[in-house]
């Protein structure tokens, strides 16, 4: 159970003069859920892009089950991007077919079940769906893979609070034994009960890192409250 | 666990560790009789999903309750409430004694004597159904 699924070691990244990440390190063991927390512009998406081999030009080391981000790691990682990554003229059914042909671990029957429970209309084109529905579709496509690591970039940002519980239970219900989740968010209060541990990113630096329960008992505060203190303007 | 489900599903105080709150709620269910000795406890994943918490957090609460002897696991059949009634009674009394001592300490801090506290309990006792 204690296999390290994701290792991030001394990772730094700059865009020109702009520092996006500075010496970021943490580990994620199998079976665990880690929260990557921080306001917009703190480096969350940059780090996630590095893990998903969308950015190659960085310092430090990243390993997914021992693999550098690339062809092998992509088979193990199911990634939910922060923006719609599919052509909007695709129908929902075509999007399912696309994932099904692309990923060997995609469970088509599971995806159909999930779309029904999330009430995503299958006949429509992606572009005809509301933003919330588009997010539910992308979450379905991501969680219907039997991956080792799920990387979810802001999965609840665009849905209303009422739908958040549904999204969270979908995530909890679909990550399988021994797999892990890295979930980035700037909205903490509705999701903090699902984290094993949290990493607070501030201006590209790790500001606070720890087990969620330990942080609660040490500080006598919720993760949400700590977040507000770390990022007080 | 009919009738007991409600007390499990109350939302959590995010300022305190979640697993200790789950432990406390299970104790309430067991000590109040809402969960019976020998009753089967739902599977960790199922319960975690229902409560909206991380399965590892729930597992930690279950381990703690097992350590105290209130729950036990049978390798294949699952997890159950202990059928050791004497243990349930002893732990219940222990917890009640702690709650009473804390209450009296708070009353004392408010300048209230034991005699006065006793009177007040009788006067407000009607509020306890």
């Amino acid at each position: 159970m204690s296999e390290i699924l994701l290792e991030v070691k001394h990772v730094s990244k700059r865009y020109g003069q702009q520092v996006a990440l500075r010496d970021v390190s943490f580990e994620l063991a199998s079976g665990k859920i880690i929260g990557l927390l921080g306001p917009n512009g703190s480096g969350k998406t940059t780090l996630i892009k590095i893990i998903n081999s969308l950015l190659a030009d960085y310092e430090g080391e990243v390993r997914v089950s021992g693999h550098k981000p690339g062809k092998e790691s992509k088979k193990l990682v199911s990634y939910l991007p922060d923006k719609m990554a599919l052509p909007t003229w695709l129908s929902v059914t075509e999007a399912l077919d696309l994932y099904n042909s692309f990923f060997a671990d995609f469970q088509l029957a599971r995806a159909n079940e999930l779309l029904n429970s999330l009430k995503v209309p299958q006949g429509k084109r992606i572009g005809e769906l509301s933003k919330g529905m588009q997010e539910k579709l992308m979450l379905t496509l991501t969680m219907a893979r039997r991956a080792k690591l799920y990387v979810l970039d802001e999965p609840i940002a665009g849905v209303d609070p009422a739908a958040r519980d549904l999204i969270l239970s979908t995530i909890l219900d679909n990550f399988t034994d021994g797999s892990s989740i890295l979930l980035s968010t700037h909205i903490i209060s509705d999701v903090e009960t699902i984290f094993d541990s949290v990493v607070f990113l501030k201006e590209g630096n790790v500001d606070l890192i720890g087990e969620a329960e330990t942080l609660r008992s040490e500080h006598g505060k919720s993760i949400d409250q700590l977040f507000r203190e770390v990022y007080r303007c | 666990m009919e009738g007991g489900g409600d007390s499990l599903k109350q939302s959590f105080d995010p300022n305190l560790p979640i697993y200790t709150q789950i432990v406390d709620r299970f104790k309430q269910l067991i000590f109040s009789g809402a969960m019976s000795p020998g009753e089967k406890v739902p599977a960790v994943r199922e319960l975690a999903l229902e409560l909206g918490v991380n399965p590892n957090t729930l597992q930690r609460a279950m381990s703690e309750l097992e350590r105290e002897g209130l729950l036990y696991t049978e390798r294949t059949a699952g997890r159950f409430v202990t059928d050791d009634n004497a243990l349930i009674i002893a732990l219940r009394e222990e917890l009640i004694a702690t709650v009473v001592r804390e209450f009296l300490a708070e009353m004392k801090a408010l300048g209230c004597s034991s005699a006065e506290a006793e009177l007040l309990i009788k006067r407000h006792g009607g509020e306890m159904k």
Side-chain angles (χ1 to χ4, degrees):
Chain A
M1 272 305 280
S2 60
E3 182 208 349
I4 299 300
L5 212 52
L6 173 67
E7 275 176 285
V8 175
K9 278 195 219 161
H10 308 295
V11 168
S12 298
K13 167 77 188 165
R14 329 168 139 263
Y15 295 106
Q17 290 298 312
Q18 181 75 31
V19 175
L21 294 170
R22 187 183 286 121
D23 198 21
V24 172
S25 296
F26 63 88
E27 289 181 345
L28 174 57
S30 69
K32 303 281 184 186
I33 303 177
I34 198 166
L36 184 61
L37 313 180
N40 296 325
S42 55
K44 303 190 299 287
T45 295
T46 297
L47 182 59
I48 283 176
K49 283 183 172 166
I50 289 173
I51 294 168
N52 287 289
S53 67
L54 296 172
L55 287 172
D57 176 26
Y58 59 90
E59 290 162 46
E61 255 184 66
V62 175
R63 292 286 182 276
V64 179
S65 260
H67 301 285
K68 265 189 174 175
K71 207 171 160 220
E72 281 307 307
S73 75
K74 279 190 174 180
K75 293 180 190 162
L76 308 172
V77 181
S78 192
Y79 166 47
L80 175 75
D82 65 336
K83 294 189 188 85
M84 172 52 67
L86 293 172
T88 52
W89 46 262
L90 277 183
S91 74
V92 172
T93 315
E94 287 167 338
L96 257 60
D97 289 343
L98 186 68
Y99 262 66
N100 197 29
S101 59
F102 217 77
F103 297 108
D105 59 0
F106 189 72
Q107 319 272 303
L108 186 59
R110 183 78 195 117
N112 277 307
E113 265 173 51
L114 272 172
L115 284 184
N116 284 335
S117 76
L118 296 170
K119 300 196 170 63
V120 178
Q122 298 222 23
K124 292 205 171 170
R125 293 184 190 285
I126 293 172
E128 295 168 340
L129 300 173
S130 68
K131 187 154 190 294
M133 280 296 170
Q134 290 186 5
E135 289 200 359
K136 286 176 185 169
L137 168 63
M138 291 311 293
L139 185 74
T140 295
L141 294 171
T142 309
M143 297 310 295
R145 286 184 58 193
R146 284 287 160 259
K148 280 190 111 171
L149 174 63
Y150 297 89
V151 176
L152 313 177
D153 198 357
E154 296 275 3
I156 57 162
V159 297
D160 55 282
R164 273 176 206 158
D165 283 350
L166 190 61
I167 302 279
L168 287 184
S169 58
T170 304
I171 293 170
L172 281 177
D173 197 22
N174 286 283
F175 97 105
T176 39
D177 293 321
S179 62
S180 308
I181 300 177
L182 174 79
L183 187 157
S184 89
T185 184
H186 65 278
I187 302 164
I188 320 294
S189 65
D190 293 321
V191 298
E192 72 164 80
T193 56
I194 77 165
F195 298 130
D196 285 292
S197 51
V198 290
V199 176
F200 286 72
L201 277 186
K202 188 178 189 181
E203 290 158 15
N205 298 286
V206 174
D207 195 273
L208 184 65
I209 186 167
E211 273 186 43
E213 295 278 59
T214 310
L215 290 172
R216 283 188 196 102
S217 56
E218 273 175 6
H219 296 263
K221 284 175 189 147
S222 64
I223 304 301
D224 187 35
Q225 195 59 43
L226 284 169
F227 182 85
R228 284 161 205 268
E229 283 174 20
V230 167
Y231 301 108
R232 189 163 33 212
C233 300
Chain B
M1 223 166 49
E2 312 84 22
D6 292 344
S7 130
L8 259 182
K9 270 184 233 152
Q10 290 159 19
S11 58
F12 294 99
D13 178 350
N15 298 306
L16 299 169
I18 309 296
Y19 86 96
T20 57
Q21 298 178 65
I22 299 173
V23 166
D24 289 348
R25 283 182 203 179
F26 261 89
K27 285 183 180 170
Q28 284 171 7
L29 292 172
I30 295 168
F31 295 158
S32 68
M35 279 188 96
S36 319
E39 187 174 331
K40 195 170 193 309
V41 178
V44 164
R45 281 196 80 85
E46 207 178 293
L47 205 51
L49 199 62
E50 202 174 315
L51 299 178
V53 301
N54 183 310
N56 300 316
T57 308
L58 194 77
Q59 182 59 51
R60 189 167 171 190
M62 297 293 106
S63 304
E64 175 64 21
L65 287 160
E66 280 181 1
R67 203 185 53 75
E68 294 186 37
L70 282 168
L71 302 182
Y72 70 96
T73 303
E74 287 222 327
R75 195 169 299 191
T76 51
R79 187 176 273 118
F80 300 88
V81 178
T82 179
D83 36 28
D84 182 350
N85 261 313
L87 179 77
I88 294 179
I89 291 167
L91 290 176
R92 177 176 177 270
E93 278 176 5
E94 209 176 284
L95 181 60
I96 288 174
T98 311
V99 172
V100 170
R101 274 196 296 271
E102 281 170 6
F103 166 74
L104 289 174
E106 206 166 323
M107 293 303 275
K108 195 178 168 195
L110 290 167
C112 185
S113 70
S114 316
E116 196 185 350
E118 223 173 292
L119 271 173
L120 287 167
I121 288 171
K122 278 195 189 126
R123 188 190 298 168
H124 295 284
E127 287 165 16
M128 221 173 117
K129 310 183 270 186

